[in-house]
Amino acid sequence: MFEHSEKARVFALPPGADFPRDFVRGFLDRTAALAPEAALQIEIYVNTRRMQRRIQSLMAESGARLLPRLRLITELENDPVVADLAPSVSPLRRRLQLSRVVSQLIEKEPGIAPRSAVFDLADGLAALMDEMRGEGVSPDRLRTLDVSRHSQHWERSLKFLNILAPYFTATGDPDREERQRIAVERLCAKWQTTPPAHPVLVVGSTGSRGTTFAFMQAVAHLPQGAVVLPGFDDDMPPALMADLASNPAEDHPQFRFARLVAALSLNPDEVMKWVASQAPAPERNRLVSLSLRPAPVTDQWLEEGSRLGRLDVATAGLTLVEAPDPRAEALAVALRLRKAAQDGVTAALITPDRDLTRRVSAALDRWGIRADDSAGRPLPLTAPGRFLRHVAALFHSRLSAELLLTILKHPLTATGAQSRGTHLRWTRELELSLRRFGPPFPDAASLSSWGLSRGDSSATEWVNWLISALFQPNSASHLPLEAHIRRHLAMAEALATGPGGDTSGELWQADAGRLARAVLDEFLAEAPHGGTLGARDYSDMLHGVLGRKELRESVTTHPGIMIWGTLEARVQGADLVVLAGLNDGTWPALPAPDPWLNRQMRADLGLHLPERQIGLSAHDYQQAICAPQVVLSRAVRSADAETVASRWLNRLTNLLGGLEAQGGKAALAAMRERGDALLRMSEALETPGAATASARAPRPSPRPPVSARPKSLSVTAIETLIRDPYAIYARHVLKLKKLDPLRRTADALERGSVLHNILERFIAGGVPEDMAEARRTLLAIADETMTTSVPWAEARILWLARLERVADWFLEREKARTGTPIWLEEKVAVALEQSLFSLTAKPDRIDIEPDGRLHIIDYKTGEPPSEKKQAYFNKQLLLQAAMAPRGGFGPPRETARITYVGLGSPPKEVTTEITPEIEAETWAGLERLIRRYLSPETGFTALRAVFSLDRTGDYDHLARYGEWELADTPKPEDVG
């Protein structure tokens, strides 16, 4: 197949070429003269299974033939040369073993990391061990590291790594990377004496890993061996390529090739072309090559830039989209992909940003286009993954109403039941009950009581199933990993089965269910190596195990629209390539921090530096941007800040901007104009038409029939009637009431209710004369009340502390009061003389003074209303004062004063002396207000006199607030 050569044999294909297709074309040309059966002897090693499948497919397209042996470099561990070694340890087992050691380390050194990071640290540690084996770094080298100049953290980390040295040995149970390296070493040694007579090729690899790099060198020296490199930049001067190898710049896209060429004792210009054809856009290859020159020689732009020729030719197929935000970028990309689909052009979106790909997929969905996404969906985000994570949370979290309803409403729950409709019905009823009445943390007793209160045998059966599934006898938190998994599976299957069911329903069905079951089966098989751990540690570990898998769903996708990761882009070819998310931090991504070795320590050991990953990403970028038609896109601003353009894009635009004589500025402007055209299209797509804009809702002011208007309101609702009449209309006319939140929190409303209960009990029991005894009694009542009615421990501590701070002030005020409490938290009503309307009230407290007049008191947990607020809006106590002479609180009596007691920080009292004039004016104002709203001409205007613009109301969405503004004139409308 190859002519005899004393030198290593290295071929290459340029950036922008469809690498698998051109490789197959060159391979068929070279083997055309061979006998058909000779292909069976040829060995071709590729770096990914996708590359393997694509080459097989392309060879099959060329006609019936015997195929060569296509193998994966990563499967050299299965070569017969290492048949004597023990089977490799599964990655999961090794991570479980390491997680036990890491867990012990964190127990001794809690400052290293939180316990939730145990599995992630074990994962990082396993990756470090793999890298050391792959690069041939012995664990003995760790002992020679000098960390005296580093912080204590790195000294501690190094000590820990030395403890793990036994895991690096090949005795007992080698890892895959270890078997891989031993296989390569043995093959290289074998080929030194008995090289294979048949052709052996390594195709498509960059040699970024030490083991692969050694294998490529060995193959290149074989009599019939060859290496075929992807995206080799032959426009780069040979001298500069040689400098890359001697002065390592790992972030350069050609660094790995320069290192390989130097290791093979070749000159860069001795790398041969695999096929004779040129790159799809040779002018652009030269432009991109120059833009990516290493920083020390960027001055070559001045010298070589003038030799690039007219840059409008090099950039004719380039479009630059600089979107204002990620949403606009996604929509512009989707529009370009849609046009490609319409024109019958194959197009691929390439980006490492998964958020961006989800946005683009959602935008394409509006046109019924489903792209073929090579990345799939992370298993934790599938329905079984979410279900399993929710169930795992039950073991370490107190069962809240929110978590309970999350599980009950999951589409996999009760799918094995005889009637899932019954399950959904009782789930709805339970949710309404929990929202209205609680408790925030349901238990077996409260659920059983609720089931009995339904008076329905199916509800009882449903609740019994729920209790048996959720509240299992073994509630220990620390268990062996195997026990955790079995308990988890039992609970998940019981919840998926449902009441009266006999199967696990849809839990393990479909692609996602089968994958989840396979992952858990492997997890269970390796569980003996996981040791004993807590419930929360198990939940964190489960998330890490599930997160290592992605689901490729069996769905029908558009044949010409693809979404690729950067690795897949090396394998496939497309007419149009969209490089999206070109911002620093996204592409290239920031190097992941290494928790075990810092940069200097890695350099001393001879491991890869953080720039390695940037260099691999740069190579992917260089290959993709040289495709025939390319769209480059980025968002100028993210959700919270300005972004920085990718360093590669920045270099390209700077180079074009500086080559004005070659038309660089005009070419860059044309690239941007093509991108702006896409942005204008996306903006037009998002802009509502004239008909939609004119349909904006007016500020509502509904006028229901008088018979439907409220005939009774509380004193607290009067303020709402003044400030936001629409809320009264929605609540009392439409009978709409906002559901209480499912996740009840210790908010101000809850605190106020608890405080009123405490003070009511304290006042009703009589205030002790002795201040110390009064304080003890008050705080004892507070502690008892909070223990029974406040399920949040943090809130109990905080609220009790606040009450302790104001207790002395409150008791001093109580001691100075001259009245006797006669009315505590009882509801009353008083009818207005001129209408069929009644006013209701439930005063916090009313004292009778020695002169027979009343003192009305109201407790506030925050700032009490000022006198001006009371005069115009907050009329709660003023109205109660006006109710007293009208028999509202027993025999008609006058009111001496009203007092708001604010128990905030600082505590404060606001007292108003009540005169007959104030009482009469207050009642007359109420009658005028009610007469007005009982008139058919008066509408219930939305947000008539709000106090603050940042307030939110329960009925703002119903009033369509936002489509109109507070300055808009209300539009009265007869309803009903």
Side-chain angles (χ1 to χ4, degrees), residues 504-528:
S504 58
E506 300 175 6
L507 178 58
W508 309 124
Q509 296 179 9
D511 294 341
R514 286 187 287 271
L515 177 60
R517 184 72 211 211
V519 170
L520 286 182
D521 285 344
E522 182 189 6
F523 197 19
L524 186 60
E526 302 293 350

mmCIF file of all heavy atoms in Angstrom, residues 504-528:
data_model
loop_
_atom_site.group_PDB
_atom_site.id
_atom_site.type_symbol
_atom_site.label_atom_id
_atom_site.label_comp_id
_atom_site.label_asym_id
_atom_site.label_seq_id
_atom_site.Cartn_x
_atom_site.Cartn_y
_atom_site.Cartn_z
ATOM 1 N N SER A 504 -44.296 -2.202 38.063
ATOM 2 C CA SER A 504 -43.660 -0.906 38.340
ATOM 3 C C SER A 504 -44.044 0.152 37.323
ATOM 4 O O SER A 504 -43.376 1.184 37.201
ATOM 5 C CB SER A 504 -42.139 -1.063 38.374
ATOM 6 O OG SER A 504 -41.664 -1.584 37.141
ATOM 7 N N GLY A 505 -45.123 -0.103 36.602
ATOM 8 C CA GLY A 505 -45.633 0.901 35.674
ATOM 9 C C GLY A 505 -44.660 1.210 34.561
ATOM 10 O O GLY A 505 -44.026 0.322 33.985
ATOM 11 N N GLU A 506 -44.489 2.487 34.278
ATOM 12 C CA GLU A 506 -43.656 2.933 33.164
ATOM 13 C C GLU A 506 -42.253 3.342 33.605
ATOM 14 O O GLU A 506 -41.498 3.902 32.816
ATOM 15 C CB GLU A 506 -44.328 4.108 32.447
ATOM 16 C CG GLU A 506 -45.702 3.778 31.876
ATOM 17 C CD GLU A 506 -46.398 4.994 31.284
ATOM 18 O OE1 GLU A 506 -45.744 6.062 31.218
ATOM 19 O OE2 GLU A 506 -47.581 4.894 30.919
ATOM 20 N N LEU A 507 -41.917 3.042 34.872
ATOM 21 C CA LEU A 507 -40.646 3.518 35.413
ATOM 22 C C LEU A 507 -39.452 3.017 34.606
ATOM 23 O O LEU A 507 -38.539 3.786 34.295
ATOM 24 C CB LEU A 507 -40.515 3.078 36.876
ATOM 25 C CG LEU A 507 -39.210 3.447 37.582
ATOM 26 C CD1 LEU A 507 -38.990 4.954 37.555
ATOM 27 C CD2 LEU A 507 -39.226 2.941 39.022
ATOM 28 N N TRP A 508 -39.436 1.736 34.270
ATOM 29 C CA TRP A 508 -38.280 1.164 33.570
ATOM 30 C C TRP A 508 -38.568 0.948 32.090
ATOM 31 O O TRP A 508 -37.875 0.177 31.438
ATOM 32 C CB TRP A 508 -37.871 -0.162 34.213
ATOM 33 C CG TRP A 508 -37.691 -0.106 35.693
ATOM 34 C CD1 TRP A 508 -38.321 -0.877 36.623
ATOM 35 C CD2 TRP A 508 -36.816 0.746 36.434
ATOM 36 N NE1 TRP A 508 -37.911 -0.554 37.888
ATOM 37 C CE2 TRP A 508 -36.981 0.444 37.812
ATOM 38 C CE3 TRP A 508 -35.916 1.756 36.085
ATOM 39 C CZ2 TRP A 508 -36.279 1.094 38.811
ATOM 40 C CZ3 TRP A 508 -35.222 2.407 37.089
ATOM 41 C CH2 TRP A 508 -35.403 2.076 38.429
ATOM 42 N N GLN A 509 -39.573 1.604 31.554
ATOM 43 C CA GLN A 509 -39.914 1.440 30.157
ATOM 44 C C GLN A 509 -39.303 2.565 29.314
ATOM 45 O O GLN A 509 -38.751 3.525 29.842
ATOM 46 C CB GLN A 509 -41.434 1.409 29.977
ATOM 47 C CG GLN A 509 -42.108 0.217 30.660
ATOM 48 C CD GLN A 509 -43.614 0.240 30.489
ATOM 49 O OE1 GLN A 509 -44.150 1.036 29.726
ATOM 50 N NE2 GLN A 509 -44.308 -0.635 31.215
ATOM 51 N N ALA A 510 -39.413 2.418 28.004
ATOM 52 C CA ALA A 510 -38.885 3.381 27.033
ATOM 53 C C ALA A 510 -37.361 3.473 27.168
ATOM 54 O O ALA A 510 -36.740 2.830 28.008
ATOM 55 C CB ALA A 510 -39.540 4.747 27.204
ATOM 56 N N ASP A 511 -36.755 4.281 26.325
ATOM 57 C CA ASP A 511 -35.299 4.361 26.296
ATOM 58 C C ASP A 511 -34.736 4.886 27.610
ATOM 59 O O ASP A 511 -33.749 4.365 28.140
ATOM 60 C CB ASP A 511 -34.848 5.279 25.148
ATOM 61 C CG ASP A 511 -35.185 4.699 23.785
ATOM 62 O OD1 ASP A 511 -35.422 3.475 23.714
ATOM 63 O OD2 ASP A 511 -35.233 5.457 22.803
ATOM 64 N N ALA A 512 -35.355 5.932 28.147
ATOM 65 C CA ALA A 512 -34.846 6.536 29.373
ATOM 66 C C ALA A 512 -34.961 5.565 30.540
ATOM 67 O O ALA A 512 -34.042 5.451 31.364
ATOM 68 C CB ALA A 512 -35.600 7.827 29.676
ATOM 69 N N GLY A 513 -36.083 4.857 30.655
ATOM 70 C CA GLY A 513 -36.262 3.913 31.752
ATOM 71 C C GLY A 513 -35.280 2.765 31.686
ATOM 72 O O GLY A 513 -34.726 2.347 32.723
ATOM 73 N N ARG A 514 -35.057 2.239 30.486
ATOM 74 C CA ARG A 514 -34.111 1.121 30.350
ATOM 75 C C ARG A 514 -32.690 1.560 30.678
ATOM 76 O O ARG A 514 -31.929 0.814 31.316
ATOM 77 C CB ARG A 514 -34.198 0.547 28.935
ATOM 78 C CG ARG A 514 -35.465 -0.270 28.695
ATOM 79 C CD ARG A 514 -35.427 -0.968 27.350
ATOM 80 N NE ARG A 514 -35.617 -0.029 26.256
ATOM 81 C CZ ARG A 514 -36.801 0.304 25.756
ATOM 82 N NH1 ARG A 514 -37.913 -0.211 26.276
ATOM 83 N NH2 ARG A 514 -36.904 1.145 24.742
ATOM 84 N N LEU A 515 -32.321 2.788 30.248
ATOM 85 C CA LEU A 515 -30.982 3.281 30.570
ATOM 86 C C LEU A 515 -30.833 3.496 32.074
ATOM 87 O O LEU A 515 -29.809 3.136 32.667
ATOM 88 C CB LEU A 515 -30.719 4.591 29.816
ATOM 89 C CG LEU A 515 -29.377 5.271 30.092
ATOM 90 C CD1 LEU A 515 -28.217 4.352 29.721
ATOM 91 C CD2 LEU A 515 -29.266 6.585 29.331
ATOM 92 N N ALA A 516 -31.840 4.078 32.709
ATOM 93 C CA ALA A 516 -31.784 4.305 34.156
ATOM 94 C C ALA A 516 -31.657 2.983 34.903
ATOM 95 O O ALA A 516 -30.906 2.867 35.880
ATOM 96 C CB ALA A 516 -33.026 5.067 34.617
ATOM 97 N N ARG A 517 -32.385 1.962 34.468
ATOM 98 C CA ARG A 517 -32.315 0.660 35.126
ATOM 99 C C ARG A 517 -30.932 0.035 34.957
ATOM 100 O O ARG A 517 -30.379 -0.538 35.906
ATOM 101 C CB ARG A 517 -33.376 -0.269 34.546
ATOM 102 C CG ARG A 517 -33.433 -1.618 35.241
ATOM 103 C CD ARG A 517 -34.020 -1.467 36.618
ATOM 104 N NE ARG A 517 -33.491 -2.432 37.545
ATOM 105 C CZ ARG A 517 -34.167 -2.937 38.575
ATOM 106 N NH1 ARG A 517 -35.406 -2.540 38.795
ATOM 107 N NH2 ARG A 517 -33.630 -3.795 39.387
ATOM 108 N N ALA A 518 -30.357 0.174 33.762
ATOM 109 C CA ALA A 518 -29.016 -0.376 33.530
ATOM 110 C C ALA A 518 -27.982 0.314 34.415
ATOM 111 O O ALA A 518 -27.085 -0.338 34.976
ATOM 112 C CB ALA A 518 -28.644 -0.224 32.052
ATOM 113 N N VAL A 519 -28.109 1.639 34.566
ATOM 114 C CA VAL A 519 -27.172 2.374 35.424
ATOM 115 C C VAL A 519 -27.308 1.926 36.869
ATOM 116 O O VAL A 519 -26.305 1.698 37.573
ATOM 117 C CB VAL A 519 -27.413 3.890 35.287
ATOM 118 C CG1 VAL A 519 -26.621 4.658 36.333
ATOM 119 C CG2 VAL A 519 -27.029 4.369 33.894
ATOM 120 N N LEU A 520 -28.540 1.773 37.361
ATOM 121 C CA LEU A 520 -28.731 1.360 38.746
ATOM 122 C C LEU A 520 -28.315 -0.092 38.964
ATOM 123 O O LEU A 520 -27.846 -0.445 40.049
ATOM 124 C CB LEU A 520 -30.193 1.561 39.149
ATOM 125 C CG LEU A 520 -30.606 3.014 39.380
ATOM 126 C CD1 LEU A 520 -32.061 3.096 39.821
ATOM 127 C CD2 LEU A 520 -29.721 3.683 40.409
ATOM 128 N N ASP A 521 -28.491 -0.932 37.963
ATOM 129 C CA ASP A 521 -28.031 -2.319 38.098
ATOM 130 C C ASP A 521 -26.512 -2.366 38.251
ATOM 131 O O ASP A 521 -25.979 -3.128 39.073
ATOM 132 C CB ASP A 521 -28.464 -3.141 36.879
ATOM 133 C CG ASP A 521 -29.948 -3.480 36.908
ATOM 134 O OD1 ASP A 521 -30.560 -3.345 38.001
ATOM 135 O OD2 ASP A 521 -30.507 -3.854 35.865
ATOM 136 N N GLU A 522 -25.808 -1.562 37.452
ATOM 137 C CA GLU A 522 -24.354 -1.504 37.591
ATOM 138 C C GLU A 522 -23.974 -0.912 38.951
ATOM 139 O O GLU A 522 -23.039 -1.381 39.615
ATOM 140 C CB GLU A 522 -23.745 -0.664 36.471
ATOM 141 C CG GLU A 522 -22.225 -0.608 36.525
ATOM 142 C CD GLU A 522 -21.614 0.388 35.568
ATOM 143 O OE1 GLU A 522 -22.384 1.143 34.927
ATOM 144 O OE2 GLU A 522 -20.372 0.427 35.467
ATOM 145 N N PHE A 523 -24.697 0.119 39.357
ATOM 146 C CA PHE A 523 -24.460 0.747 40.666
ATOM 147 C C PHE A 523 -24.626 -0.288 41.783
ATOM 148 O O PHE A 523 -23.805 -0.356 42.710
ATOM 149 C CB PHE A 523 -25.456 1.895 40.833
ATOM 150 C CG PHE A 523 -25.106 2.885 41.911
ATOM 151 C CD1 PHE A 523 -23.822 2.989 42.422
ATOM 152 C CD2 PHE A 523 -26.085 3.745 42.412
ATOM 153 C CE1 PHE A 523 -23.501 3.912 43.405
ATOM 154 C CE2 PHE A 523 -25.788 4.665 43.404
ATOM 155 C CZ PHE A 523 -24.489 4.747 43.895
ATOM 156 N N LEU A 524 -25.660 -1.097 41.681
ATOM 157 C CA LEU A 524 -25.916 -2.120 42.693
ATOM 158 C C LEU A 524 -24.835 -3.193 42.670
ATOM 159 O O LEU A 524 -24.395 -3.676 43.727
ATOM 160 C CB LEU A 524 -27.286 -2.741 42.450
ATOM 161 C CG LEU A 524 -27.795 -3.749 43.496
ATOM 162 C CD1 LEU A 524 -27.899 -3.100 44.864
ATOM 163 C CD2 LEU A 524 -29.137 -4.314 43.069
ATOM 164 N N ALA A 525 -24.389 -3.575 41.468
ATOM 165 C CA ALA A 525 -23.358 -4.606 41.364
ATOM 166 C C ALA A 525 -22.035 -4.150 41.977
ATOM 167 O O ALA A 525 -21.294 -4.952 42.562
ATOM 168 C CB ALA A 525 -23.155 -4.982 39.894
ATOM 169 N N GLU A 526 -21.728 -2.848 41.867
ATOM 170 C CA GLU A 526 -20.468 -2.329 42.406
ATOM 171 C C GLU A 526 -20.621 -1.781 43.824
ATOM 172 O O GLU A 526 -19.648 -1.314 44.409
ATOM 173 C CB GLU A 526 -19.936 -1.218 41.487
ATOM 174 C CG GLU A 526 -19.689 -1.631 40.046
ATOM 175 C CD GLU A 526 -18.551 -2.631 39.907
ATOM 176 O OE1 GLU A 526 -17.837 -2.865 40.896
ATOM 177 O OE2 GLU A 526 -18.382 -3.180 38.805
ATOM 178 N N ALA A 527 -21.833 -1.845 44.376
ATOM 179 C CA ALA A 527 -22.104 -1.240 45.680
ATOM 180 C C ALA A 527 -21.223 -1.753 46.809
ATOM 181 O O ALA A 527 -20.890 -0.979 47.721
ATOM 182 C CB ALA A 527 -23.579 -1.434 46.043
ATOM 183 N N PRO A 528 -20.812 -3.048 46.853
ATOM 184 C CA PRO A 528 -19.947 -3.491 47.966
ATOM 185 C C PRO A 528 -18.665 -2.691 48.096
ATOM 186 O O PRO A 528 -18.050 -2.692 49.166
ATOM 187 C CB PRO A 528 -19.664 -4.958 47.597
ATOM 188 C CG PRO A 528 -20.842 -5.387 46.798
ATOM 189 C CD PRO A 528 -21.231 -4.183 46.002
#
